[in-house]
Amino acid sequence: KKLLKKVDFVQWKSDATLHEAQVMRRYAVTNRDDYRHYSKLVGNITKLAAMMKKLPQNDEFRITTTEQMLHKLYTAGLIDTQKSLLKAEQLTVSAFCRRRLPVVLCRLKMSENLTEASRFIEQGQVRVGPSVVTDTAFLVTRSMEDFITWVDSSKIKRTVAKYNDKLDDFDLLGS
Protein backbone atom coordinates (compact mmCIF):
# COMPACT_ATOMS: atom_id res chain seq x y z
CA LYS A 1 0.00 0.00 0.00
CA LYS A 2 2.70 2.49 0.89
CA LEU A 3 4.48 1.93 -2.41
CA LEU A 4 1.42 2.88 -4.43
CA LYS A 5 0.87 6.06 -2.42
CA LYS A 6 4.18 7.47 -3.62
CA VAL A 7 3.70 6.64 -7.31
CA ASP A 8 1.82 9.07 -9.51
CA PHE A 9 0.39 7.10 -12.43
CA VAL A 10 -0.92 10.18 -14.21
CA GLN A 11 2.35 12.02 -14.68
CA TRP A 12 5.76 10.40 -14.69
CA LYS A 13 9.08 12.17 -14.29
CA SER A 14 9.91 11.55 -17.93
CA ASP A 15 6.58 13.01 -19.11
CA ALA A 16 6.23 16.50 -20.43
CA THR A 17 6.34 19.28 -17.92
CA LEU A 18 4.20 22.39 -18.03
CA HIS A 19 7.10 24.46 -19.35
CA GLU A 20 7.76 21.96 -22.14
CA ALA A 21 4.12 22.13 -23.21
CA GLN A 22 4.16 25.95 -23.15
CA VAL A 23 7.29 26.15 -25.31
CA MET A 24 5.95 23.56 -27.75
CA ARG A 25 2.67 25.47 -28.06
CA ARG A 26 4.34 28.88 -28.40
CA TYR A 27 6.65 27.80 -31.23
CA ALA A 28 4.26 25.26 -32.83
CA VAL A 29 6.59 22.30 -32.28
CA THR A 30 4.43 19.32 -33.18
CA ASN A 31 6.95 16.56 -32.61
CA ARG A 32 7.91 16.04 -28.96
CA ASP A 33 11.11 14.29 -30.07
CA ASP A 34 12.31 17.55 -31.62
CA TYR A 35 11.86 19.29 -28.28
CA ARG A 36 13.71 16.53 -26.45
CA HIS A 37 16.52 16.65 -29.01
CA TYR A 38 16.87 20.42 -28.50
CA SER A 39 16.81 19.87 -24.75
CA LYS A 40 19.66 17.35 -24.96
CA LEU A 41 21.68 19.72 -27.14
CA VAL A 42 21.16 22.56 -24.68
CA GLY A 43 22.20 20.29 -21.82
CA ASN A 44 25.39 19.28 -23.61
CA ILE A 45 26.26 22.87 -24.52
CA THR A 46 25.68 24.21 -21.02
CA LYS A 47 27.65 21.31 -19.52
CA LEU A 48 30.55 22.02 -21.89
CA ALA A 49 30.43 25.73 -21.03
CA ALA A 50 30.47 24.95 -17.31
CA MET A 51 33.45 22.61 -17.77
CA MET A 52 35.32 25.26 -19.74
CA LYS A 53 34.68 27.83 -17.03
CA LYS A 54 36.55 25.58 -14.58
CA LEU A 55 39.73 25.79 -16.69
CA PRO A 56 42.14 28.67 -16.01
CA GLN A 57 41.28 31.83 -17.97
CA ASN A 58 44.66 32.07 -19.69
CA ASP A 59 44.65 28.41 -20.82
CA GLU A 60 45.24 28.17 -24.58
CA PHE A 61 42.79 25.28 -25.01
CA ARG A 62 40.03 27.15 -23.15
CA ILE A 63 40.47 30.28 -25.25
CA THR A 64 40.41 28.52 -28.64
CA THR A 65 37.57 26.15 -27.73
CA THR A 66 35.48 28.98 -26.29
CA GLU A 67 35.99 31.08 -29.41
CA GLN A 68 35.03 28.16 -31.66
CA MET A 69 31.93 27.28 -29.65
CA LEU A 70 30.73 30.88 -29.39
CA HIS A 71 31.31 31.37 -33.14
CA LYS A 72 29.27 28.25 -33.98
CA LEU A 73 26.44 29.28 -31.65
CA TYR A 74 26.45 32.82 -33.05
CA THR A 75 26.39 31.73 -36.71
CA ALA A 76 23.59 29.30 -35.90
CA GLY A 77 21.69 32.26 -34.44
CA LEU A 78 21.35 30.77 -30.97
CA ILE A 79 23.14 33.60 -29.15
CA ASP A 80 23.25 37.29 -29.99
CA THR A 81 26.92 38.07 -29.21
CA GLN A 82 30.20 36.16 -29.24
CA LYS A 83 31.64 38.01 -26.27
CA SER A 84 31.01 35.83 -23.25
CA LEU A 85 30.90 32.17 -22.30
CA LEU A 86 27.99 33.13 -20.05
CA LYS A 87 25.76 33.35 -23.14
CA ALA A 88 26.45 29.70 -23.96
CA GLU A 89 25.77 28.74 -20.37
CA GLN A 90 22.38 30.50 -20.44
CA LEU A 91 21.25 28.87 -23.70
CA THR A 92 17.63 27.68 -23.72
CA VAL A 93 15.48 25.35 -25.81
CA SER A 94 13.50 28.40 -26.89
CA ALA A 95 16.60 29.68 -28.70
CA PHE A 96 16.57 26.55 -30.86
CA CYS A 97 12.82 26.88 -31.39
CA ARG A 98 13.23 30.51 -32.52
CA ARG A 99 15.54 29.33 -35.32
CA ARG A 100 12.98 26.89 -36.77
CA LEU A 101 11.79 27.75 -40.27
CA PRO A 102 8.12 28.55 -39.40
CA VAL A 103 9.20 31.01 -36.70
CA VAL A 104 11.66 32.69 -39.06
CA LEU A 105 8.94 32.93 -41.74
CA CYS A 106 6.71 34.75 -39.27
CA ARG A 107 9.54 37.06 -38.23
CA LEU A 108 10.26 37.90 -41.89
CA LYS A 109 6.53 38.71 -42.33
CA MET A 110 6.11 35.99 -44.95
CA SER A 111 3.33 34.46 -42.84
CA GLU A 112 0.86 35.79 -40.31
CA ASN A 113 1.07 32.94 -37.80
CA LEU A 114 2.98 29.75 -37.10
CA THR A 115 0.28 27.31 -38.20
CA GLU A 116 0.01 29.02 -41.58
CA ALA A 117 3.80 29.03 -41.93
CA SER A 118 3.96 25.32 -41.06
CA ARG A 119 1.29 24.58 -43.65
CA PHE A 120 3.20 26.51 -46.34
CA ILE A 121 6.36 24.57 -45.54
CA GLU A 122 4.66 21.17 -45.55
CA GLN A 123 3.02 21.99 -48.91
CA GLY A 124 6.43 22.76 -50.41
CA GLN A 125 5.81 26.49 -50.96
CA VAL A 126 9.08 27.63 -49.34
CA ARG A 127 12.67 27.18 -50.38
CA VAL A 128 15.92 28.00 -48.65
CA GLY A 129 18.55 28.74 -51.25
CA PRO A 130 18.09 26.40 -54.21
CA SER A 131 16.38 23.56 -52.33
CA VAL A 132 12.73 23.23 -51.37
CA VAL A 133 12.20 22.54 -47.66
CA THR A 134 9.23 20.50 -46.44
CA ASP A 135 10.45 19.85 -42.89
CA THR A 136 9.12 22.29 -40.27
CA ALA A 137 11.99 21.39 -37.92
CA PHE A 138 14.54 22.87 -40.35
CA LEU A 139 16.89 25.16 -38.39
CA VAL A 140 17.79 28.37 -40.18
CA THR A 141 21.23 29.88 -39.57
CA ARG A 142 21.98 33.59 -39.79
CA SER A 143 23.52 33.27 -43.26
CA MET A 144 20.64 31.19 -44.66
CA GLU A 145 18.03 33.66 -43.40
CA ASP A 146 18.62 35.92 -46.41
CA PHE A 147 17.89 33.12 -48.89
CA ILE A 148 14.38 32.17 -47.73
CA THR A 149 11.97 32.72 -50.62
CA TRP A 150 8.83 31.32 -52.15
CA VAL A 151 9.14 28.53 -54.72
CA ASP A 152 8.98 29.87 -58.30
CA SER A 153 5.74 28.02 -59.07
CA SER A 154 4.07 29.21 -55.86
CA LYS A 155 0.68 30.92 -56.06
CA ILE A 156 1.67 32.99 -53.04
CA LYS A 157 4.69 34.39 -54.86
CA ARG A 158 2.46 35.27 -57.82
CA THR A 159 -0.10 36.97 -55.55
CA VAL A 160 2.58 39.01 -53.77
CA ALA A 161 4.08 40.06 -57.11
CA LYS A 162 0.65 41.04 -58.42
CA TYR A 163 -0.01 43.08 -55.29
CA ASN A 164 3.32 44.90 -55.66
CA ASP A 165 2.73 45.43 -59.41
CA LYS A 166 5.84 43.39 -60.22
CA LEU A 167 4.13 40.46 -61.93
CA ASP A 168 5.94 39.53 -65.12
CA ASP A 169 4.00 37.99 -68.02
CA PHE A 170 6.98 35.77 -68.80
CA ASP A 171 6.59 34.14 -65.37
CA LEU A 172 2.98 33.32 -66.20
CA LEU A 173 4.05 31.43 -69.34
CA GLY A 174 6.57 29.30 -67.42
CA SER A 175 4.04 27.82 -65.00
Side-chain angles (χ1 to χ4, degrees):
K1 267 188 165 178
K2 287 186 179 182
L3 251 175
L4 292 177
K5 284 183 183 178
K6 294 181 181 180
V7 177
D8 183 11
F9 289 113
V10 178
Q11 185 166 5
W12 297 86
K13 285 183 181 179
S14 63
D15 280 351
T17 61
L18 180 64
H19 180 69
E20 180 178 336
Q22 287 173 343
V23 171
M24 286 181 65
R25 193 177 318 112
R26 182 182 305 137
Y27 296 108
V29 179
T30 54
N31 193 353
R32 188 172 302 277
D33 291 337
D34 289 338
Y35 183 89
R36 292 225 171 100
H37 184 71
Y38 300 149
S39 181
K40 283 182 183 178
L41 284 172
V42 167
N44 289 339
I45 291 169
T46 54
K47 187 191 294 183
L48 182 63
M51 288 171 60
M52 292 216 283
K53 269 191 158 182
K54 290 180 183 176
L55 293 174
Q57 282 194 344
N58 57 0
D59 186 17
E60 180 99 9
F61 176 74
R62 176 188 170 164
I63 293 170
T64 56
T65 312
T66 302
E67 286 175 358
Q68 288 174 352
M69 184 171 74
L70 290 176
H71 180 70
K72 281 186 187 282
L73 293 175
Y74 179 77
T75 55
L78 300 174
I79 57 175
D80 51 355
T81 60
Q82 295 185 45
K83 294 184 180 179
S84 173
L85 192 58
L86 188 65
K87 293 285 186 185
E89 210 171 16
Q90 295 174 345
L91 190 67
T92 60
V93 176
S94 297
F96 276 96
C97 292
R98 282 191 291 268
R99 298 310 299 178
R100 289 170 59 96
L101 187 56
V103 178
V104 175
L105 281 178
C106 288
R107 198 174 60 237
L108 293 175
K109 307 288 187 203
M110 291 176 74
S111 174
E112 288 185 24
N113 53 36
L114 290 173
T115 55
E116 188 178 69
S118 297
R119 190 173 64 241
F120 290 153
I121 293 165
E122 288 167 356
Q123 290 173 352
Q125 302 273 353
V126 179
R127 69 181 174 150
V128 179
S131 58
V132 177
V133 178
T134 57
D135 184 18
T136 56
F138 185 81
L139 293 178
V140 181
T141 62
R142 286 185 195 272
S143 59
M144 289 192 305
E145 203 170 307
D146 298 332
F147 301 108
I148 298 174
T149 57
W150 299 110
V151 175
D152 291 333
S153 62
S154 173
K155 295 247 182 193
I156 300 163
K157 181 177 182 177
R158 182 176 297 155
T159 307
V160 170
K162 186 186 264 185
Y163 179 78
N164 292 332
D165 288 330
K166 294 181 180 176
L167 185 64
D168 191 10
D169 294 337
F170 184 73
D171 291 339
L172 291 174
L173 293 174
S175 48

